[in-house]
Amino acid sequence: MIPFVMGLFFLLSMAVTFLFPVILTGAEGAVESLTGSTFSQLAASSPGLGNYIYYLIRILAIFSAGLGAFLAVVSATAYRKREVWAWYLIWVVPVLFLLDAVNDYYAFRYVDVSSVVIALILVAGLLLPYRKFFPSKYIDERLSV
């Protein structure tokens, strides 16, 4: 249930970001941290740069919405049926969020707590049903091969 709900959340929130990139979803702080100027100052001095930043936000929203759709579909189908490959595949998502946190640290010298929290929630959603995916009988069979 956790991966499905998180997937829907990503899909919906990124759809809103795509439609309204002005929201900037926290990118204003990143722009100021990386450039030393606020987004408003950059957009006023170079409208093309402002448009480019909105373009990048929309691209990020498209890929994030795709990630959310992927997570929702896999978790509603194969993960729900306890197919082992789906359990392994969903690990991609918390790994991506942890990589995002590491990238934030190297770029801004702080860690975006929301990325870490999302990764931890997804890891909990993967570890809680671990025994359903890997009952001891299954593990014993795999070890004897």
Side-chain angles (χ1 to χ4, degrees), residues 88-111:
Y88 285 114
L89 189 62
I90 288 180
W91 276 98
V92 167
V93 181
V95 167
L96 288 174
F97 275 91
L98 289 175
L99 289 173
D100 176 53
V102 169
N103 185 53
D104 284 349
Y105 177 76
Y106 284 113
F108 310 118
R109 295 291 177 230
Y110 74 88
V111 174

Side-chain angles (χ1 to χ4, degrees), residues 3 74-75 77-88 90 125-136 138-139 142:
V74 170
S75 62
T77 56
Y79 187 81
R80 186 171 167 218
K81 294 177 187 174
R82 294 183 178 90
E83 295 185 27
V84 176
W85 66 266
W87 187 84
Y88 285 114
I90 288 180
L126 287 163
L127 293 180
L128 287 172
Y130 179 82
R131 286 287 177 204
K132 292 180 182 181
F133 282 92
F134 303 101
S136 59
Y138 176 81
I139 293 171
R142 299 279 296 181

Side-chain angles (χ1 to χ4, degrees), residues 5-136:
V5 170
M6 295 298 279
L8 286 181
F9 172 74
F10 301 149
L11 180 61
L12 295 175
S13 64
M14 290 302 114
V16 169
T17 302
F18 177 77
L19 294 173
F20 305 103
V22 177
I23 294 171
L24 289 178
T25 64
E28 293 167 337
V31 168
E32 189 167 354
S33 178
L34 291 170
T35 65
S37 300
T38 66
F39 177 77
S40 300
Q41 291 170 332
L42 284 175
S45 67
S46 176
L49 183 59
N51 289 337
Y52 181 66
I53 291 171
Y54 284 135
Y55 165 79
L56 292 177
I57 290 169
R58 284 191 302 273
I59 291 294
L60 179 62
I62 290 168
F63 282 101
S64 297
L67 180 64
F70 156 80
L71 185 59
V73 169
V74 170
S75 62
T77 56
Y79 187 81
R80 186 171 167 218
K81 294 177 187 174
R82 294 183 178 90
E83 295 185 27
V84 176
W85 66 266
W87 187 84
Y88 285 114
L89 189 62
I90 288 180
W91 276 98
V92 167
V93 181
V95 167
L96 288 174
F97 275 91
L98 289 175
L99 289 173
D100 176 53
V102 169
N103 185 53
D104 284 349
Y105 177 76
Y106 284 113
F108 310 118
R109 295 291 177 230
Y110 74 88
V111 174
D112 182 10
V113 177
S114 64
S115 292
V116 175
V117 169
I118 290 170
L120 290 175
I121 290 170
L122 286 167
V123 167
L126 287 163
L127 293 180
L128 287 172
Y130 179 82
R131 286 287 177 204
K132 292 180 182 181
F133 282 92
F134 303 101
S136 59

